[in-house]
Structures are given as structure tokens and as C-alpha cells.
Amino acid sequence: MIQDLVIYALFIAYALAVLLVFGLVLTWVERKQAAIMSDRIGANRAYLRIPFTQVKLVWWGLFHGMADGMKMLLKEDFKPRTHDWYAYAVAPWVVFTPVLLVFGVIPFGGTLVPGQLGSSLAEWYGDKSYPMQIARLDAGLLMVFAFGGMTTIGAMLAGWSSANKFSLLGALRAGSQMISYELVMGLTLLGLILIYGTLDLGAVVQQQSGVVLGFLPAWGIVYQPFAAILFLTAAMAENKRIPFDLPEAESELIAGYFTEYSAMKMGLFMFAEFIEIAIIAALFTTLFLGGYNLPFMTDAGFVFPGGHVVAMSHGLVVVTQMVVFLAKVFLMCSFQILVRWSLPRFRYDQVLHFAWKFLFPLTLVNLVVTTVAVWAIRGGGA
Amino acid sequence: MSTRRYRRKEYWNRPTMSLWERVYLFEIVRGLSITGGVFLGNMWRWMTGRKGALTTYYPEETRADYAAANRGKHILTRRPDGRPQCIACNMCATVCPAKVIEIEAAFDPDDTAHPKYPARFEIDYSRCIFCGLCVEACPEDAIRMLKEVPNLPGHDRQRMWITRDELLNWNPHSDVAKPYPAATGPEKPRGPT
């Protein structure tokens, strides 16, 4: 019992640390990547001075995130004269908390058998094994959507309770846009659920560990390339970033639904947005990029098709899987930032047209084709 | 009341998109590959130890393409014996449109040729507009503007003043166009203080 508690406390700490570090580092990555994309240098002036020396640690401007956080904590916490101060105060947390919770069902590594890590651990743990996932839920994917939907409530609350017309307009845009794209997002994944036959994300990743046609990794993107593109588009629209940043279009609405927020409350909105980038990347990795799997990698090491085997100890396998997962997530985050700095913003009517008249029919077509194919492969009507 | 149907105006250069462009996805991929290509190219430059940007790090680096006649930081020229060429005539301070030059003249009875010299000569760089009128107004070739601008930025405006000693010493020049008669009277070693 206590063993389980220790392991899960470790998992939760790891998940929280990963998310918060991603949230902090992505602010830096975003600025730096945007700068390098546009032939600039980017923020590189903040430094930490080692006390009592003149040694200044600059580290490519990595401390700018820290400086920003400090600034947000120390700024005046402006409060508008609103009739609904409770909703106003609670809204940032309604946006922020579900984003963190979504990570609870995402597997960030394979199976951990603590008994194989050392002799002292072996006698305490015996041969217990733990899938590296905080909550192994049968309805994992449903939980993702349930909590993803809650951020809409947060955005709407923030807009309503701010007593500001720009906020209200932003909230209305956020509501209509997020609900439209949530539908598209859910439907794109139906095809994948048909193929894998489960909603449990751990089981989904385990099914992606094989190889198809001898060389292609059995990742979701190979089975459902179309759904992958649609899902990524819808997910980015869910996150309200350029090209879908209508709810906070600064040239039209100042800052949209969080216009009236300042200091760390505004910081929470921004932080939630950056963590959501990581969450979307983690979801995409889990569903379409094989999660922690590498091609030809099993729980015992690499097994290449020529019969060549590279054996690895259990500890090494666990670390490799965690690193592979993080690397994939980071690459997907970087891709989202690339999109954000490349594409112009949609016009408002175009956003909803795009969702309902373009993406929605395509997801339906994708679903029908997948259904027919799965039906045919599994023996037709027989 | 007219019964004519409304017809949208046709322009001669109506934008046309082919089916390929209207599918949208391929054009998006094209755009992303352009920006991604620029990113990878610049990133490669950074990782191989070169600078992946045209930017110069401002106070630390000087742009190589500064004009030779660039009006940068001021200097006060020196006489051959090291004293300031300036005779504290206040012409520069008078002509200065930003009124940033402050001169306090002093009297030196030993220098019979030019007994008036600046005890203080200060320029407020937080207000200087670098127009160069002080250089043109100077009758003695005592003030010049060099091409370089070292140590100009500062963190508060009290420290934006440049003093006489720094003007004389940060880049000493004594090749004045208007030579001076040697001082008469008893020899007395004096340099810039």
C-alpha cells in the first residue's frame, strides 16, 4: 500500500514538474524560436549574477521567463468594479486547473517495475509493476474532453464578470469558437477509437508499439494521417492561438476575455495557454505519434528486423521511454509555435466557416471511411 | 423603383485562386516550410558558432558600417602641452539648440596668450541631439565629434553627463588645426586635471 503511494506521489510530482517547466520554458522557446525564424536574436539580456562575484549567467536569455514571472507577481493586482467579483476571481483558476488535470491520464512512460531497479527496492516492492501514468482510467479520453471543455467555462466566466465590452465580445467569440472546434476534435478521434477499440490512453499507446508493413511504426498517424492533421488544427483552435486567436485578437479586442485581468491573474491565463500547448503536444504524441514508443523498441531493448538485438536494463528502458516522450512533446510544441508565427489570423466568420463547413464534413468523411475500412478488415458482415 | 437585379461589381483584377490554392492545406504547408527553412538555416548558423541574425549587440558591438563622418561622442582637443585647446568662449553652448553644454570659465594669469580656460566643460548626453553645431561653431577647433559612441547608454539620467576630463581623455587628440603661441611667463607644469 505504502509502496503504491510512494510511486504515485513520484508520478504526480513528475507530471506537475514537467507541466510547469514546460509552461515556463515554452515562453522562452516561443520568443527565441520566433526571433530565429525572423532573423533576429531574441531576448538575451536577463541574467542571474552569482552573489558576491561578477559572474553573470545569461544562458541564452533563459532567465527572461523568471523575470516575467517575477514582474507578474509584483505588479499591482488591479480589480475592476464588477458586480460579480467571485466569478472574476475564480475564472483564471477555472481555466488553469483543468489544463493541469488533463495530464493525469496521459502515459509518460512504459511500465515501471521498481523491483528491477535495485536489490533494496526489490525486497520492498517484490514484482509489482506500475504503468507510468497517474490515473489509468478506462474513460481516459473522455476525461480529456471533459476537462478540455471546462476551459471554455473559464473563458466565458472571465468575459462575463469583467464588466467590459471587449471582454464580453472576446468571451462570446471564445465560447462559439471553442465549442465548434471541440466537436471537430471529438469526431476526429472517433476513427482512432474505432481502430484501437479503447479509450484508455495507456492501452492506446501500447497498441502503437509494433511495426506495420515491416518498416513503418504502428503509430496513429500512419493509420489516420487525415485525422492527425484535423485533430492538430482543431486542438490549436481550442487553445485560441494564432491563426485562431479571435477571442483575444489584440488589434480588435485589446486582449479579449482577459482584458480586465492584470498581474498574476493575467499570468495564469498566459501560463494556462502555454501549458495547453504542451498538453496538446502530449495528446498528439500519445494518440498519433506512439507516445513513448520508438520504432523497434520493446521493454527489453531494441529488436531490429535483421535479428540484431540491443539489450537494455530496465532502468535504461524506463529513462529512454520518458526521454522519448518528452522529446516528441517538445517537437510538437515547437511545431505549434512554428504555425503560430507563420500564419495570419482568420477573419471571424472564416473561423466558424472553417469549422462547420470545412473541418466538420471532412471529419465525417474520415469517420465513414474508417468505419467501412475497419468493418471490412474485421470480416465484413460475417 | 428599379427592378434590376443587384450585381456585384466585377473588377478587372479579381483575385483568382486555383483549386490547389483553395484546398488551403498545401499552401499552408508551403508557408510553413518557408518559415521552418529559415528557422533551421539560422539555427544551424547559431549552432556552428556563427551569428544567425544581422543584429549587432548594441553597446558591446559597433556596427562596421558606421559612416566615417558619423557624429558620435564629443572630444575636447589638447594643445601640444596637454592643456585643453578650449578657450571657454561659450560659442558652442550658445549655438547648441538643445542647450546641453555647460561651461564654467576660469582665469589663468600665467597663460598670457589665452588666460581664459574651461574649469568645467560638461555635456548632458540625455538631451544632446548630435546635430554637430557645436563643432561648427567652435573658432578654435577645440571640440570635435568622433565616429565612435562608446559607453553612451546609462541607467539614469544623472549619469548621462560627460565631464571635461572624460572629454579630454577618452580618445585624446592634439592635432589641432589652429596652433597656439607658446605660453609666456614662467614655466609651470600643467596638464589636464
Side-chain angles (χ1 to χ4, degrees), chain A residues 60-336:
Chain A
W60 312 286
L62 207 56
F63 297 119
H64 273 276
M66 222 185 248
D68 286 345
M70 203 82 112
K71 179 196 75 179
M72 289 198 173
L73 283 172
L74 295 176
K75 266 169 100 166
E76 181 196 353
D77 185 14
F78 170 80
K79 291 184 191 70
R81 245 181 275 137
T82 162
H83 53 279
D84 201 352
W85 61 269
Y86 182 70
Y88 174 82
V90 123
W93 297 101
V94 178
V95 172
F96 184 69
T97 321
V99 173
L100 285 182
L101 287 177
V102 167
F103 201 74
V105 293
I106 294 176
F108 47 83
T111 311
L112 178 69
V113 187
Q116 291 183 19
L117 291 178
S119 53
S120 56
L121 282 172
E123 59 190 59
W124 199 34
Y125 278 99
D127 53 356
K128 280 186 179 180
S129 68
Y130 301 90
M132 294 177 73
Q133 187 180 5
I134 293 172
R136 180 140 205 188
L137 298 179
D138 288 339
L141 208 50
L142 288 185
M143 199 195 111
V144 170
F145 282 113
F147 282 124
M150 277 180 73
T151 56
T152 319
I153 301 176
M156 296 288 279
L157 268 185
W160 270 116
S161 60
S162 293
N164 179 321
K165 288 178 184 121
F166 289 114
S167 302
L168 185 57
L169 280 174
L172 292 179
R173 288 182 174 193
S176 53
Q177 175 183 326
M178 286 167 83
I179 289 169
S180 310
Y181 280 92
E182 210 148 292
L183 190 73
V184 174
M185 208 159 99
L187 281 175
T188 52
L189 294 189
L190 270 187
L192 214 60
I193 295 167
L194 274 177
I195 291 176
Y196 293 131
T198 175
L199 286 171
D200 176 13
L201 290 175
V204 165
V205 174
Q206 272 165 15
Q207 291 189 35
Q208 297 183 58
S209 62
V211 171
V212 275
L213 303 176
F215 65 100
L216 277 175
W219 294 353
I221 198 166
V222 176
Y223 291 123
Q224 293 266 296
F226 218 49
I229 298 169
L230 294 174
F231 173 77
L232 197 58
T233 317
M236 275 191 270
E238 270 291 286
N239 196 9
K240 307 183 288 293
R241 278 165 66 79
I242 291 175
F244 300 101
D245 70 330
L246 275 301
E248 49 199 85
E250 67 270 9
S251 49
E252 302 161 25
L253 295 180
I254 307 178
Y257 59 91
F258 56 85
T259 303
E260 290 288 350
Y261 285 84
S262 60
M264 203 57 211
K265 283 182 187 149
M266 193 276 259
L268 273 184
F269 281 114
M270 302 301 293
F271 209 43
E273 186 185 310
F274 278 106
I275 292 180
E276 208 169 330
I277 298 175
I279 290 290
I280 289 168
L283 262 183
F284 190 84
T285 308
T286 309
L287 293 166
F288 292 102
L289 293 183
Y292 51 80
N293 287 309
L294 273 185
F296 310 119
M297 189 176 162
T298 64
D299 281 346
F302 285 96
V303 182
F304 290 108
H308 189 64
V309 176
V310 182
M312 286 156 80
S313 70
H314 180 65
L316 196 58
V317 166
V318 166
V319 170
T320 314
Q321 283 172 335
M322 280 157 72
V323 169
V324 165
F325 180 74
L326 287 184
K328 283 179 184 174
V329 169
F330 186 78
L331 280 181
M332 283 315 297
C333 290
S334 190
F335 179 76
Q336 288 180 61

Side-chain angles (χ1 to χ4, degrees), chain A residues 32-33 35-41 44-45 226 229 243 334-335 338-339 341-344 346 354 358, chain B residues 22-25 28 31-32 35-36 38-39 42-43 45-46 51-60:
Chain A
K32 229 35 188 179
Q33 187 176 345
I36 293 174
M37 272 168 64
S38 45
D39 289 344
R40 291 184 288 114
I41 291 172
N44 65 346
R45 290 284 161 174
F226 218 49
I229 298 169
S334 190
F335 179 76
L338 177 74
V339 170
W341 289 94
S342 298
L343 303 184
F346 279 100
F354 190 63
F358 189 75
Chain B
R22 266 185 293 148
V23 170
Y24 193 72
L25 186 65
I28 291 284
L32 287 181
T35 49
V38 172
F39 172 75
N42 282 337
M43 199 66 200
R45 264 173 231 125
W46 282 112
K51 198 194 272 183
L54 292 171
T55 321
T56 39
Y57 297 104
Y58 164 53
E60 294 92 357

Side-chain angles (χ1 to χ4, degrees), chain B:
Chain B
M1 203 172 122
S2 157
T3 52
R4 264 195 316 159
R5 275 181 62 226
Y6 169 75
R7 288 179 64 195
R8 174 172 283 185
K9 190 170 182 199
E10 291 273 332
Y11 292 98
W12 63 271
N13 58 352
R14 200 159 60 95
T16 51
M17 288 203 292
S18 64
L19 183 65
W20 180 265
E21 285 162 339
R22 266 185 293 148
V23 170
Y24 193 72
L25 186 65
F26 304 108
E27 289 296 299
I28 291 284
V29 170
R30 202 161 68 92
L32 287 181
S33 60
I34 290 173
T35 49
V38 172
F39 172 75
L40 289 180
N42 282 337
M43 199 66 200
W44 176 247
R45 264 173 231 125
W46 282 112
M47 286 166 71
T48 48
R50 288 170 291 166
K51 198 194 272 183
L54 292 171
T55 321
T56 39
Y57 297 104
Y58 164 53
E60 294 92 357
E61 283 181 13
T62 314
R63 280 174 58 155
D65 57 346
Y66 261 25
N70 181 48
R71 294 194 294 264
K73 202 168 168 176
H74 297 81
I75 56 158
L76 284 180
T77 52
R78 299 164 160 204
R79 298 184 199 170
D81 60 356
R83 282 180 291 170
Q85 172 85 354
C86 177
I87 55 166
C89 66
N90 259 324
M91 296 265 260
C92 51
T94 310
V95 79
C96 178
K99 300 187 171 59
V100 300
I101 305 181
E102 287 193 10
I103 303 170
E104 188 183 309
F107 177 66
D108 179 9
D110 297 333
D111 187 351
T112 48
H114 287 286
K116 203 177 171 194
Y117 73 95
R120 281 175 56 226
F121 191 109
E122 286 164 17
I123 301 177
D124 182 3
Y125 272 130
S126 67
R127 290 185 291 144
C128 177
I129 59 172
F130 296 91
C131 60
L133 286 186
C134 48
V135 179
E136 288 185 33
C138 185
E140 303 289 330
D141 189 21
I143 187 167
R144 292 184 189 168
M145 291 171 100
L146 296 194
K147 176 182 154 190
E148 297 83 19
V149 281
N151 298 325
L152 264 195
H155 285 291
D156 65 85
R157 53 182 84 165
Q158 269 66 42
R159 283 181 220 162
M160 296 298 284
W161 288 84
I162 185 171
T163 58
R164 188 191 76 158
D165 293 340
E166 195 186 343
L167 282 167
L168 281 168
N169 291 327
W170 76 265
N171 195 344
H173 279 57
S174 49
D175 52 335
V176 282
K178 188 171 177 185
Y180 258 75
T184 52
E187 275 299 320
K188 197 163 131 188
R190 257 185 327 215
T193 45

Side-chain angles (χ1 to χ4, degrees), chain A residues 333-369:
Chain A
C333 290
S334 190
F335 179 76
Q336 288 180 61
I337 291 171
L338 177 74
V339 170
R340 184 244 183 275
W341 289 94
S342 298
L343 303 184
R345 179 189 303 146
F346 279 100
R347 212 169 57 215
Y348 184 56
D349 59 324
Q350 286 172 337
V351 169
L352 291 187
H353 277 203
F354 190 63
W356 290 102
K357 292 187 177 173
F358 189 75
L359 291 182
F360 186 60
L362 282 183
T363 50
L364 288 184
V365 168
N366 183 52
L367 185 59
V368 168
V369 170

